[in-house]
């Protein structure tokens, strides 16, 4: 029996070298075959199994039925959804994915041309995220705004044509340079009027709707004056200057009240988008009105009838436009609606109801107001007795409320330490006192005879005044906080008020 000897060390080395060489060749061949299979298109006869995340998205394209696709994320743009996939077939070894390794797949079928056109228009006339990005009052406001600009653009054709004809008739012997000077003077007068009216400043915040509507009325007045130049062309320059002043004042009002209105529509930080789309709607309607007016003007219609019709449409649209705005702040008109409703029914009106009941024709320059907030002392009191009678009642308050029977007004004087909430409470107290006096007057009017002696009437009014003020003070102490609470529940902003008080303040006397 012969024993087998183990192989020598040299033969072991040869065997190991051969085995290593074969392994290397095997690995290289395997990589080559894998690369060929990855780059080659799939055979039609071969059934390729879909990966679950690809098969579940309803992808019909053959290029997306590859098992090398991997879902990355989902995206939504203007209501359309996209899914992004990573194509692992272009991954080479340990190298990162190339630029073309991400494929986007739309989950919607291609839109019809009409739908694409509608989407294009929507991107210009409505804010992104509409209707969720704006308040419900945005749609009626923009509807009436578009109609107003439509009528305004239509009237612009007739007024411009009239002005050109008037300057040509009145200056038929003048040189073109003289006509140009008249036109420049007309525009210069308008700019001066615009600068002077801009001093109103803060009133555009206090009485936004009232001034907006008044500005549109001035625009119509200016347009009417421009048409008058056709009747008296010899007075072209003064009439055109007056018309341009009125129209520029209206333009200042429109510009100054634009931002607060758009701010009321924006639900988030999208006021720029809301403003841009709103102006686009106005310009589009203006262009349509101008085009229609040009076609009508070619038929030489009656100037008076055409202007009357367009003017009525403009003013009516302007009124409805302003009425459709829903503001959250309390100015004089909305505060009056809220307090009177609370005193009668115990409820504060909603934002929509309070804004709809606001008096648009209560212009800031209106002199007679039943409640005067922040007046001069001499306006509120005619004699010292009436002041000394009510002063002790308001020792702990930052205001004094009084009634002047000779003027028939409630006067609310503010102290120099009065804050925003003090002004709000003082105005509330004024409405409560007015409510008490009116109720008392209605009850006593049938049994109380009118006295002709002013002195006895004054003394009686002073005695009645003190009793009414004490009664109103008790009511305010009990009702003011519930009023604020209910107003906040309805969405009214109570932290800031736009009640526009006068600048006079009562100060402590320095001994």
């Amino acid at each position: 029996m012969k024993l087998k000897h183990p192989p020598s060390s040299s033969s072991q080395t040869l065997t190991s070298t051969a085995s290593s060489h074969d392994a290397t060749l095997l690995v290289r061949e395997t990589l080559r075959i894998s690369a060929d299979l990855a780059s080659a298109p799939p055979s039609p006869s071969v059934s390729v199994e879909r990966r679950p995340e690809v098969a579940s998205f309803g992808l019909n394209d053959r290029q997306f039925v590859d098992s090398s696709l991997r879902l990355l994320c989902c995206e939504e743009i203007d209501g359309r959804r996209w899914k992004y996939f990573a194509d692992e077939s272009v991954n080479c070894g340990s190298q990162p994915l190339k630029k073309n390794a991400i494929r986007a797949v739309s989950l919607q079928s291609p839109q019809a041309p009409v739908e694409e056109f509608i989407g294009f228009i929507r991107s210009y006339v409505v804010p992104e995220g509409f209707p969720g990005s704006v308040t419900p009052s945005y749609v009626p406001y923009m509807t009436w705004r578009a109609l107003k600009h439509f009528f305004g653009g239509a009237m612009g054709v007739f007024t411009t044509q009239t002005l050109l004809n008037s300057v040509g008739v009145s200056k038929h012997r003048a040189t073109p340079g003289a006509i140009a000077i008249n036109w420049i003077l007309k525009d210069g007068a308008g700019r001066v009027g615009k600068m002077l009216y801009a001093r109103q400043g803060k009133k555009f915040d206090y009485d936004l709707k009232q001034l907006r509507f008044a500005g549109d009325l001035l625009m119509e007045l200016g347009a009417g004056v421009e048409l008058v130049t056709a009747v008296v062309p010899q007075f072209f320059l003064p009439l055109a200057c007056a018309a341009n002043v009125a129209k520029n004042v209206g333009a200042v009002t429109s510009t100054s009240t634009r931002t607060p209105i758009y701010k009321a529509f924006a639900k988030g930080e999208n006021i720029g988008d809301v403003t841009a789309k709103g102006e686009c709607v106005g310009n589009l309607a203006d262009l349509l009105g101008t085009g229609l007016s040009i076609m009508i003007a070619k038929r030489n219609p009656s100037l008076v009838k055409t202007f009357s019709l367009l003017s009525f449409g403009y003013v009516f649209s302007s009124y409805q436009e302003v009425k459709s705005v829903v503001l959250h702040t309390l100015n004089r008109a909305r505060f009056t609606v809220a307090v009177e409703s609370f005193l009668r029914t115990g409820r504060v009106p909603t934002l929509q109801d309070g804004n709809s009941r606001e008096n648009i024709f209560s212009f800031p320059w209106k002199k007679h107001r039943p409640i005067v907030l922040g007046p001069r002392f001499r306006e509120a009191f005619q004699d010292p007795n009436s002041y000394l009678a009510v002063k002790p009642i308001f020792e702990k308050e930052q205001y004094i409320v009084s009634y002047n029977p000779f003027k028939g007004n409630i006067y609310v004087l503010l102290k120099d330490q009065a804050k925003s909430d003090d002004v709000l409470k003082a105005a509330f107290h004024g409405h409560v006192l007015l409510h008490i006096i009116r109720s008392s007057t209605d009850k006593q009017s049938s049994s109380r005879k009118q006295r002709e002696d002013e002195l006895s009437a004054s003394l009686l009014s002073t005695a009645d005044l003190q009793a009414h003020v004490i009664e109103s003070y008790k009511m305010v102490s009990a009702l003011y906080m519930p009023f604020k609470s209910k107003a906040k529940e309805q969405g009214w902003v109570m932290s800031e008020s736009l009640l526009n008080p006068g600048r006079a303040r009562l100060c402590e006397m320095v001994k």
Side-chain angles (χ1 to χ4, degrees):
M1 182 177 179
K2 294 182 180 180
L3 295 175
K4 294 183 179 179
H5 297 281
S8 62
S9 60
S10 60
S11 48
Q12 287 181 354
T13 301
L14 291 174
T15 304
S16 175
T17 303
S19 300
S20 176
H21 181 67
D22 293 340
T24 302
L25 292 176
L26 181 60
V27 170
R28 288 180 179 176
E29 186 65 19
T30 302
L31 290 175
R32 185 184 65 78
I33 296 173
S34 300
D36 292 341
L37 291 175
S39 60
S43 174
S45 60
V46 179
S47 175
V48 181
E49 183 180 358
R50 300 185 185 182
R51 293 178 62 177
E53 61 266 31
V54 178
S56 61
F57 297 117
L59 305 177
N60 297 322
D61 254 349
R62 184 175 298 277
Q63 59 178 338
F64 298 116
V65 188
D66 197 340
S67 60
S68 63
L69 294 178
R70 177 166 54 90
L71 178 64
L72 293 177
C73 64
C74 180
E75 178 184 64
E76 182 174 348
I77 303 176
D78 297 331
R80 301 189 64 184
R81 290 189 176 184
W82 299 74
K83 287 190 180 295
Y84 289 88
F85 296 90
D87 190 354
E88 297 178 344
S89 64
V90 298
N91 188 10
C92 300
S94 60
Q95 299 296 324
L97 291 175
K98 298 181 180 180
K99 293 183 179 180
N100 59 351
I102 298 179
R103 299 187 183 183
V105 181
S106 175
L107 300 186
Q108 283 84 11
S109 58
Q111 291 183 326
V114 176
E115 295 179 355
E116 290 185 358
F117 178 74
I118 294 176
F120 175 77
I121 296 298
R122 282 174 58 90
S123 66
Y124 276 90
V125 299
V126 297
E128 292 184 9
F130 177 85
S133 60
V134 294
T135 59
S137 58
Y138 176 81
V139 174
Y141 172 80
M142 293 310 302
T143 302
W144 291 111
R145 177 176 173 79
L147 283 175
K148 185 185 76 172
H149 278 269
F150 176 82
F151 289 114
M155 283 187 297
V157 174
F158 292 99
T159 56
T160 303
Q161 183 181 23
T162 303
L163 286 173
L164 292 174
N165 292 336
S166 299
V167 71
V169 172
S170 62
K171 300 296 181 181
H172 60 280
R173 295 183 179 178
T175 62
I179 296 177
I181 290 175
N182 282 327
W183 203 269
I184 292 172
L185 290 175
K186 173 185 72 72
D187 292 341
R191 292 187 178 93
V192 172
K194 181 187 296 186
M195 290 187 295
L196 293 177
Y197 191 67
R199 292 183 66 253
Q200 302 299 320
K202 196 66 177 176
K203 291 183 179 179
F204 295 125
D205 298 315
Y206 294 143
D207 300 287
L208 184 151
K209 296 182 182 180
Q210 291 77 8
L211 284 175
R212 180 63 173 262
F213 183 63
D216 289 336
L217 292 179
L218 284 175
M219 292 286 287
E220 284 305 292
L221 177 62
V225 173
E226 287 178 343
L227 293 179
V228 173
T229 59
V231 181
V232 284
Q234 62 272 20
F235 297 109
F236 167 80
L237 185 58
L239 290 177
C241 288
N244 216 30
V245 169
K247 295 179 75 171
N248 275 273
V249 169
V252 169
T253 305
S254 177
T255 304
S256 303
T257 56
R258 181 184 307 158
T259 300
I261 290 177
Y262 286 138
K263 184 179 179 181
F265 294 135
K267 283 188 175 181
E269 299 298 326
N270 61 335
I271 184 172
D273 186 27
V274 173
T275 303
K277 302 306 170 52
E279 293 306 298
C280 182
V281 171
N283 291 330
L284 180 62
D286 188 275
L287 290 174
L288 292 176
T290 302
L292 177 64
S293 184
I294 291 175
M295 290 188 294
I296 296 176
K298 292 180 179 180
R299 300 183 178 181
N300 296 320
S302 173
L303 193 60
V304 176
K305 293 181 180 179
T306 304
F307 178 79
S308 300
L309 180 61
L310 295 176
S311 181
F312 173 79
Y314 183 89
V315 174
F316 181 75
S317 301
S318 174
Y319 179 79
Q320 295 296 334
E321 173 198 19
V322 173
K323 289 288 289 184
S324 64
V325 179
V326 177
L327 301 175
H328 295 236
T329 53
L330 290 169
N331 67 343
R332 291 281 188 93
R334 293 187 291 275
F335 187 79
T336 300
V337 171
V339 176
E340 290 182 352
S341 176
F342 177 77
L343 294 177
R344 289 196 312 267
T345 65
R347 296 189 299 271
V348 176
T350 62
L351 292 175
Q352 189 72 35
D353 186 26
N355 279 269
S356 63
R357 291 160 58 185
E358 179 181 0
N359 185 10
I360 303 300
F361 294 96
S362 178
F363 300 119
W365 52 81
K366 186 179 179 181
K367 294 297 182 181
H368 180 71
R369 290 175 179 266
I371 297 178
V372 183
L373 187 61
R376 299 289 300 275
F377 182 85
R378 61 189 178 190
E379 297 177 10
F381 298 101
Q382 300 295 322
D383 62 276
N385 292 329
S386 59
Y387 170 67
L388 295 175
V390 299
K391 179 182 177 182
I393 303 175
F394 299 96
E395 288 293 339
K396 298 181 180 180
E397 303 294 339
Q398 296 298 325
Y399 61 90
I400 294 178
V401 179
S402 179
Y403 172 70
N404 191 323
F406 297 102
K407 296 183 178 180
N409 293 335
I410 300 291
Y411 291 92
V412 183
L413 293 87
L414 301 173
K415 299 181 181 180
D416 57 351
Q417 299 297 323
K419 305 298 181 183
S420 178
D421 186 68
D422 297 319
V423 175
L424 201 66
K425 185 177 181 180
F428 181 80
H429 198 144
H431 281 279
V432 171
L433 180 58
L434 181 64
H435 177 76
I436 292 174
I437 292 176
R438 285 177 174 175
S439 300
S440 176
T441 303
D442 293 339
K443 292 179 182 178
Q444 299 177 6
S445 59
S446 58
S447 60
R448 198 173 194 175
K449 295 182 180 180
Q450 184 70 26
R451 292 175 172 80
E452 297 180 356
D453 189 353
E454 293 185 359
L455 179 60
S456 61
S458 176
L459 293 175
L460 182 61
S461 299
T462 300
D464 291 341
L465 171 64
Q466 188 172 11
H468 291 330
V469 170
I470 294 175
E471 182 183 358
S472 67
Y473 189 85
K474 294 178 180 179
M475 289 183 62
V476 170
S477 300
L479 298 177
Y480 178 63
M481 294 309 296
F483 168 74
K484 283 187 63 177
S485 177
K486 292 184 178 181
K488 290 181 180 179
E489 291 177 359
Q490 295 294 348
W492 295 103
V493 177
M494 307 298 291
S495 59
E496 297 181 5
S497 61
L498 298 174
L499 300 181
N500 189 18
R503 296 190 300 271
R505 298 293 183 270
L506 296 178
C507 303
E508 293 291 337
M509 292 185 296
V510 180
K511 296 182 180 180

